[in-house]
Amino acid sequence: MNGRDAFRWTMLYRGVSAVAFLLGTGLAIAGFVVGFGGSLSALFADPLNPGSALEAADPVLTLAFVALGVLVWQVGKSYALFLTVPRAAGRAAAEEVDTQRMRSELLEVLDDRLAELESDVEQTRRSVEELKRSDHAAAFDERDHLESSTAAASTAGGEGRGPGDGSDAPESNSNDPLS
């Protein structure tokens, strides 16, 4: 907040406070006039006899007006404070906040987070592809291993044969001339 704005808000606060003070003081003076007005005229008429002046006085009414005056003054002062401070602070904050700078900082943070997210997604995709390749390679190696063990078993003369692969047939003897 610059000095000119601060001075303007100060003057507004002081102006509303001064009006509240003047109203409160006016009520207190009115209380003295109403409560002691008749007694003052009786006192000026017969200064040596204050008894008649005291009988005409109404101190309860005077105290009521004075209390009302003090209340108006204090409430008015508080109202002036609550009227000016939030408005002044709000306008000063609005001047200080640069929305374009805030927007660019926010976009920069979001871009960084998006880049991190894209990197994580790419890394996850690579990991999944690597798992698929390794599963495929393992399946391929198992088939090769099974085929090579079956071929080795058939060339070994029936060793390692299982049911249904011709092992039920009688084995031929290589020393037998009829085979």
Side-chain angles (χ1 to χ4, degrees):
M1 177 181 297
N2 60 25
R4 195 173 96 205
D5 287 339
F7 180 74
R8 187 172 58 106
W9 286 110
T10 301
M11 294 313 302
L12 179 63
Y13 170 75
R14 288 297 175 187
V16 173
S17 295
V19 167
F21 175 73
L22 291 175
L23 285 175
T25 303
L27 283 171
I29 291 171
F32 278 113
V33 169
V34 169
F36 294 111
S39 64
L40 288 177
S41 62
L43 186 62
F44 286 133
D46 189 14
L48 297 175
N49 186 11
S52 63
L54 287 175
E55 289 175 7
D58 191 4
V60 174
L61 189 60
T62 301
L63 286 177
F65 270 92
V66 169
L68 184 63
V70 169
L71 181 70
V72 166
W73 171 45
Q74 291 300 314
V75 169
K77 198 167 72 168
S78 296
Y79 176 74
L81 181 70
F82 289 117
L83 174 74
T84 56
V85 170
R87 289 182 181 178
R91 291 200 177 133
E95 290 173 2
E96 293 294 321
V97 173
D98 183 14
T99 57
Q100 191 65 23
R101 183 179 57 107
M102 185 184 299
R103 182 180 298 139
S104 66
E105 288 175 359
L106 181 63
L107 286 175
E108 183 178 317
V109 169
L110 287 175
D111 284 344
D112 291 344
R113 294 289 294 160
L114 185 59
E116 289 175 13
L117 184 63
E118 288 174 349
S119 172
D120 290 346
V121 166
E122 183 64 26
Q123 184 178 3
T124 303
R125 186 185 62 78
R126 286 184 194 138
S127 298
V128 167
E129 286 179 359
E130 183 63 32
L131 283 174
K132 285 181 181 179
R133 275 192 226 122
S134 65
D135 287 345
H136 181 67
F140 184 73
D141 289 345
E142 288 175 7
R143 278 189 244 127
D144 285 347
H145 180 66
L146 288 175
E147 289 175 5
S148 65
S149 66
T150 307
S154 64
T155 58
E159 294 175 11
R161 289 186 175 184
D165 58 356
S167 61
D168 296 347
E171 291 185 19
S172 62
N173 193 351
S174 58
N175 294 336
D176 189 16
L178 296 173
S179 17

